[in-house]
Amino acid sequence: MKSKFWRQGEPYVWGTGLSLSLIILLMFVMLYAVIGKGVAAFWPADLVECRLGSGLKVIGEITGTETIHGSEQKRFQFKIGNRDLYGLDFRWIDERDMGPITYPLEVYVLERQEYGDFYGYLKFLDQRLLKVSPAKKSGNILADAIEAVSPLRKNVSELNDRIVELNYEVERTGILLKKMEHSGLGESERAQELKLEVEYLKDNFTDIVETLNEKQAELSSYKAVFTDAGGREKEISINDIVRFYQPNKMTALEKLLYYGQRLRELFFDEPRESNTEGGLFPAIFGTIMLIFLMSIFSFPLGVVGGIYLREYARDGFFVRTVRIAVNNLAGIPSIVYGIFGLGFFVYGIGSQIDLFFFPERLPIPTFGTGGIFWASLTLGLLTVPVVIVATEEALGAIPPGIREGSQALAATKFQTLTMLLLPMASPGILTGFILAMARAAGEVAPLMITGVVKLAPALPLDSHFPFLHLDRKFMHLGFHIYDIGFQSPNVEAAKPMVYVTTLLLILIVVLMTSLAIYLRNKMRARYSVVDV
């Protein structure tokens, strides 16, 4: 009985099953942590007010709890906000120091442009605000005040947009002028016109900046006075308030609407406060565009390379060496690819492109510095071995009789390849492509030295000719996680955004791989008849 147990391989079956179970368990633990923390990050939790044993009062959101070592008592982590008053956002309070807990209805949460959230009570409001728009009454005095300055805020926003446009026009005209000067036409009539245009744009720019400063000063003059739990006053400009709410007063529907607003901001707005607040639109856009460009570079190259190795190359020492090299390339650390991309693509090819096509801009580099184009090529180089191996294996799995039958019917090798072999191998090739895409989406190390930045001033795709700007730097969700999770001076406050960004990155990878899997299954269903 015992010998049969070992002879039939039962221990190995149990071992493989346990290994798979462990992998699935770890995946679920990771997903549970990321989804649980990420989904709850924007939910407006109730605020508690508590009097401590020292007589002080604190207002905050309970974000964690743990048992005190060597004791049965607990301690609670409070998010107390008001960083500009206390110098920190979070505080641990022992259970024995806590008095009764209350949930005051009138307490406000202010999301600010700087210093994070403020928790406290409204004490005084600039009366000019209520005189500006007395007709609009929402039932909340602070909401009415913010509504009263909304036209001024809109005006400031329009002026900022106009400054961005003027800045672009000055840069574009300056480049045209430099090009003419480089061509020896610096004194031509057209060059003089461009100089006048640049001067006009700069004067216009200066005027708008002065107007903007005046409007911002007017906007900042509207202030409100709040108090914290201990009665300490804090004067806050209405312009600094991004959003406010009273969580203890909100119904479930109101909290759901607030949650929807935060999701909209996450997907479509710019980040703020060192990327720890606001939206992630530039990072989402940069990540998807990077994967898309990487796919354009790596997929055709990998498939063609795999076809040559399997279908055309004669087996020998050289081909075997190439196969070994390709397999080993897939295992090289990604930072090595990043260094190669920096040296070969950026400093090598990019510098030559600048020298031949953009000499008038030197010494300021155009392609001779990091950008999304070089980052995509580097990731393409990193993932192309995966596609080559997958293509070769998929073609090798097709029974030889298919090739022989096709050629017996007078089909050429090229016709056999394009009309039979590639369609039949497409599910396997797409599987390799899925793996390559997933790896590219999660790579950060090579991007850090080939083009990714903490905050990109413009997207690689916009409405300005030539619309696609491959030389521009970009933001990436993976780098965003690293930046706010490990480089932020206030890591604890950045934790919710870390979980949200991680969840978003996982969702993007899942969506893109799901699309590829759908196409693979369609291919498999379509060409399975041919296989039979």
Side-chain angles (χ1 to χ4, degrees):
M1 184 68 184
K2 186 176 180 182
S3 60
K4 186 179 178 183
F5 176 78
W6 288 101
R7 193 172 62 250
Q8 290 185 342
E10 286 293 330
Y12 304 107
V13 175
W14 279 99
T16 51
L18 285 173
S19 299
L20 180 62
S21 302
L22 181 63
I23 292 170
I24 294 174
L25 178 66
L26 291 175
M27 286 177 58
F28 272 107
V29 169
M30 184 195 73
L31 289 176
Y32 174 77
V34 172
I35 294 174
K37 298 282 187 180
V39 170
F42 295 147
W43 187 257
D46 289 343
L47 294 183
V48 301
E49 184 174 278
C50 178
R51 182 180 290 278
L52 305 182
S54 61
L56 293 176
K57 277 185 178 180
V58 294
I59 294 177
E61 172 191 344
I62 297 177
T63 54
T65 179
E66 64 180 27
T67 303
I68 299 173
H69 182 66
S71 167
E72 294 185 355
Q73 288 200 328
K74 294 181 179 178
R75 63 173 189 165
F76 297 89
Q77 186 188 42
F78 278 68
K79 184 184 177 185
I80 55 175
N82 308 1
R83 192 188 312 153
D84 44 345
L85 292 180
Y86 310 142
L88 70 168
D89 290 278
F90 293 84
R91 178 178 178 181
W92 284 96
I93 300 176
D94 292 348
E95 188 178 14
R96 57 176 173 264
D97 295 333
M98 294 171 58
I101 286 179
T102 59
Y103 294 84
L105 296 178
E106 298 303 322
V107 65
Y108 279 93
V109 178
L110 306 180
E111 294 179 22
R112 299 180 291 178
Q113 296 285 359
E114 293 180 332
Y115 303 114
D117 294 344
F118 181 89
Y119 299 151
Y121 300 95
L122 177 64
K123 181 178 182 182
F124 174 77
L125 190 64
D126 192 331
Q127 293 301 309
R128 292 179 297 162
L129 292 169
L130 302 181
K131 294 177 182 175
V132 175
S133 180
K136 295 183 178 179
K137 298 291 183 184
S138 65
N140 185 294
I141 189 171
L142 187 57
D144 291 337
I146 292 178
E147 177 63 23
V149 298
S150 60
L152 194 54
R153 274 184 161 179
K154 185 179 178 183
N155 196 355
V156 168
S157 176
E158 290 172 350
L159 288 172
N160 276 319
D161 292 341
R162 181 60 184 148
I163 285 175
V164 171
E165 287 294 323
L166 277 175
N167 198 30
Y168 171 79
E169 288 296 325
V170 169
E171 185 179 353
R172 185 186 65 82
T173 311
I175 289 172
L176 289 176
L177 186 57
K178 282 183 179 178
K179 193 176 287 186
M180 296 195 73
E181 289 173 348
H182 184 77
S183 305
L185 301 174
E187 300 302 325
S188 64
E189 184 178 348
R190 175 58 182 158
Q192 298 304 317
E193 290 176 0
L194 288 176
K195 287 179 181 176
L196 292 174
E197 188 176 342
V198 169
E199 290 302 320
Y200 171 76
L201 289 172
K202 286 183 177 178
D203 290 342
N204 199 3
F205 182 88
T206 305
D207 292 341
I208 292 180
V209 168
E210 288 179 359
T211 306
L212 176 65
N213 291 336
E214 291 172 3
K215 296 290 183 185
Q216 284 182 329
E218 182 185 352
L219 196 54
S220 299
S221 70
Y222 294 109
K223 296 181 185 297
V225 177
F226 291 84
T227 60
D228 69 352
R232 189 172 171 185
E233 293 186 357
K234 174 64 183 174
E235 189 178 67
I236 299 175
S237 168
I238 295 295
N239 190 34
D240 289 338
I241 300 175
V242 177
R243 190 183 295 111
F244 78 90
Y245 56 96
Q246 292 176 288
N248 298 344
K249 264 188 176 180
M250 295 169 76
T251 63
L253 180 60
E254 288 171 336
K255 289 188 175 183
L256 200 60
L257 291 174
Y258 169 85
Y259 192 81
Q261 286 180 9
R262 293 297 304 270
L263 285 183
R264 189 209 60 76
E265 180 189 54
L266 177 74
F267 286 111
F268 299 109
D269 283 1
E270 303 277 334
R272 54 184 167 80
E273 201 166 353
S274 301
N275 292 353
T276 59
E277 298 288 347
L280 291 174
F281 176 70
I284 296 171
F285 187 88
T287 304
I288 294 176
M289 189 169 177
L290 179 77
I291 297 173
F292 182 70
L293 290 175
M294 181 279 300
S295 303
I296 291 176
F297 298 138
S298 75
F299 187 66
L301 195 63
V303 171
V304 170
I307 289 173
Y308 180 80
L309 283 174
R310 173 58 64 179
E311 298 296 325
Y312 293 103
R314 291 185 178 178
D315 195 20
F317 174 76
F318 179 73
V319 171
R320 286 197 296 274
T321 305
V322 169
R323 281 201 179 98
I324 292 171
V326 168
N327 289 331
N328 287 334
L329 278 174
I332 291 179
S334 57
I335 188 65
V336 176
Y337 283 97
I339 294 170
F340 174 80
L342 179 68
F344 182 74
F345 292 130
V346 179
Y347 293 151
I349 299 177
S351 299
Q352 294 304 311
I353 290 175
D354 285 351
L355 199 61
F356 284 103
F357 296 101
F358 307 102
E360 72 280 358
R361 303 186 190 183
L362 293 174
I364 299 173
T366 304
F367 279 92
T369 183
I372 194 167
F373 184 59
W374 302 132
S376 302
L377 281 181
T378 304
L379 280 190
L381 190 64
L382 185 149
T383 54
V384 78
V386 179
V387 182
I388 290 175
V389 172
T391 303
E392 203 179 349
E393 293 298 325
L395 288 171
I398 298 173
I402 298 291
R403 293 178 178 81
E404 294 165 359
S406 173
Q407 290 174 1
L409 293 172
T412 64
K413 191 165 186 175
F414 181 73
Q415 288 172 327
T416 303
L417 176 67
T418 55
M419 302 180 70
L420 279 177
L421 301 184
L422 279 181
M424 292 177 67
S426 57
I429 295 173
L430 281 174
T431 300
F433 177 62
I434 292 167
L435 294 173
M437 199 164 56
R439 183 179 180 187
E443 285 293 346
V444 174
L447 306 181
M448 292 169 67
I449 48 180
T450 53
V452 75
V453 289
K454 178 184 177 75
L455 190 63
L459 295 176
L461 187 67
D462 61 20
S463 58
H464 296 128
F465 185 81
F467 310 117
L468 181 60
H469 307 274
L470 294 175
D471 57 313
R472 286 183 180 172
K473 298 184 187 300
F474 65 103
M475 294 179 68
H476 185 269
L477 288 172
F479 181 75
H480 191 270
I481 294 169
Y482 164 77
D483 178 52
I484 62 175
F486 301 98
Q487 301 297 309
S488 172
N490 194 352
V491 174
E492 197 68 31
K495 268 186 182 178
M497 188 56 83
V498 171
Y499 284 112
V500 169
T501 311
T502 306
L503 179 59
L504 205 53
L505 184 59
I506 291 174
L507 287 177
I508 287 175
V509 173
V510 168
L511 283 175
M512 298 189 79
T513 51
S514 297
L515 178 62
I517 290 170
Y518 171 77
L519 293 175
R520 183 188 66 182
N521 292 339
K522 293 281 285 186
M523 291 280 193
R524 184 174 289 163
R526 179 175 180 180
Y527 293 106
S528 60
V529 177
V530 178
D531 195 14
V532 172

